[in-house]
Amino acid sequence: MAETEHRPTNFVRQIIDKDIANKVHSTIKTRFPPEPNGFLHIGHAKSICLNFGIAQDYQGSCNLRFDDTNPTKEDISYVNAIKEDVQWLGFEWAGEPCYSSGYFDQLHGYAIELIEKGLAFVDFCSQEEIREMRGTLTQAGTHSPYRDTDVATNLAEFEKMTAGEYEDGKCCLRAKIDMASSFMVMRDPVIYRIKHAHHHQTGDKWCVYPMYDFTHCISDAIEGITHSLCSLEFQDNRRLYDWVIENISIDTVPRQYEFSRLNLEYTVLSKRKLIQLVEEKFVDGWDDPRMPTVAGLRRRGYTAGAIREFCARIGVTKMENQVEMSMLESCIRDDLNENGPRAMAVLDPIKVIIENYPEDQHEELVAPNHPSNEAMGTRLLPFSREVWIEAEDFRESANKKFKRLVLDKEVRLRNAYVIKANRVEKDEDGNVTTVYCTYDDETLGKDPADGRKVKGVIHWVDASKGCAAEFRLYDRLFTVPSPAKEDDFTGAINPDSLEVKKGYIEPSALQSEQGFSAWQFERIGYFCRDTHFDTPVFNRTVGLRDTWAKIQQGG
RNA sequence: UGGGGUAUAGCCAAGUUGGUAAGGCUGCGGGUUUUGAUCCCGCCAUCCGUAGGUUCGAGUCCUGCUACCCCAGCCA
């Protein structure tokens, strides 16, 4: 893939370069560690491109690891969706997918090791008591009354916890670190809690589950991860990550580095909020084309290459950021402009009747699939006396800025003839329904012989052979650039994010033997077929750049 | 003075032994064009959060200040 050839460097790669130069590591190993509690979104794509991209470029490897330590929030359907999305994005994980839950036995053993070393204790304080004793950001916490329980008792109590003798919340295992630490995460963090819950991987084997901070670093070490990349909010957690690795008997020493997560304008990228959009039916599901999920973008018509390119363009830093939608849109336009065949579709049709074209005549015009790439071949365009054109491409009168069809003026039908509008027919509301025209049969594939200039070109669909189709146009999901900052982000949902159009499309776009799945409908935008429907439904991925719209707004 | 982080154009982002501000997106001009698309050409930071200091020379070093983000889940 061309877009992967010039990956920009970033601070993580520079760290790796140094580690290699200093012979700290000979091979690089990364991991992408989602919790299977929702679908992947474009922010995950950034992490995926970073982790798998590094593995590729350094001839290392990258694991896919499900960080599944909280069975009550997770589901097997999410692990399947995540696998599919990672593969679709074009990446291959090393070996079989890994699961944190696959290390539960070892994790349990390391917990016992900490207890034996006097570095962990079973705490019977309630959750509220623990919270109160944790102190505040400016005040040290206080010791739990169970902090000095002897090792043998702790061992026995942890065993009872594990055996299911206590109900949820009755007690927990805590690391014994420093209740006065300026890092809140170091104030005797809970590392095991009781959850009598069924786990999608381990079934009912366990009723105690390790916490993230205890699990992640050990999982990294077990897998031999050299560089464990996560987002900025885990910077404080790194102290606990290192503490655990230092205090258990394990040889490998993975290092954690943090980068800033992606924020995208006019959408939300937090699983909690995305789950809410799905569950409260603000959208059609995880793969709603308006969703910033990988599945949603895919259904919208975004290609994996375009998403990878986007991730390459935005870079990886530690700066808080909010990327403009135009950055994403530019990536998919670049891809589809180059790779998408052209076709014609009329979304808001009015009829053109070519009065001097024989009623029983039908032609098959040949049109290139791409204006500059002949290798993409040609397709046949049916043409006859009646065609559909876009309502906004006709005006009874207009100044010369309007380069489309105007009464008594000429315009070219794209890939076909020059026509001239003679008169119109309107409905009871005064809307033009039909434009009666004449055509110049000398203008197929060439300019008028007498040298007269025809400035405009409009698209069309043959009325007799064109196919009825539905077109779905999407707008941003939210009305404000930072919906996550609203008190209630659902209040900022754009009520007009979906516009459905019923129109017509040239037959070639419905012929599966053409082998295309995404097109540029000329002058309208890039579209893909929505395979959720048997009838022809096309999603507009993104519109074309529209300077005409800007001219109109400005004037 | 709780601690951890970050500050380079509207947005993203290079800049790493101090040597005189890459690139992309957006925007704005102009050219080509049977897509008001694409493509092509040109323009867009005397200045790097701010105030000082060191230096022949600082975005890069030092000091003070300011702004913003993260941390008080038995979530990840």
Side-chain angles (χ1 to χ4, degrees), chain A residues 1 3-4 7 40-50 85 88-91 262 291-315 327-333 335 541:
Chain A
M1 284 263 157
E3 75 273 4
T4 60
R7 285 188 179 280
L40 263 24
H41 55 65
I42 191 155
H44 292 106
K46 174 179 180 177
S47 175
I48 289 167
C49 290
L50 209 217
D85 287 348
W88 179 78
L89 279 170
F91 296 104
L262 169 67
M291 290 282 272
T293 51
V294 172
L297 289 164
R298 178 168 61 228
R299 189 173 163 198
R300 174 80 168 256
Y302 273 82
T303 60
I307 293 174
R308 276 187 255 118
E309 173 64 15
F310 173 74
C311 292
R313 288 189 195 180
I314 59 175
M327 188 84 92
L328 219 205
E329 293 173 343
S330 168
C331 293
I332 188 60
R333 284 196 186 108
D335 184 333
T541 310

Side-chain angles (χ1 to χ4, degrees), chain A residues 100-112:
Chain A
S100 295
S101 57
Y103 312 129
F104 280 171
D105 285 314
Q106 294 162 80
L107 262 355
H108 193 78
Y110 286 122
I112 290 172

Side-chain angles (χ1 to χ4, degrees), chain A residues 529-544:
Chain A
R529 182 76 185 266
D530 191 323
T531 53
H532 283 41
F533 304 94
D534 294 328
T535 55
V537 173
F538 293 87
N539 291 322
R540 182 161 73 177
T541 310
V542 65
L544 261 26

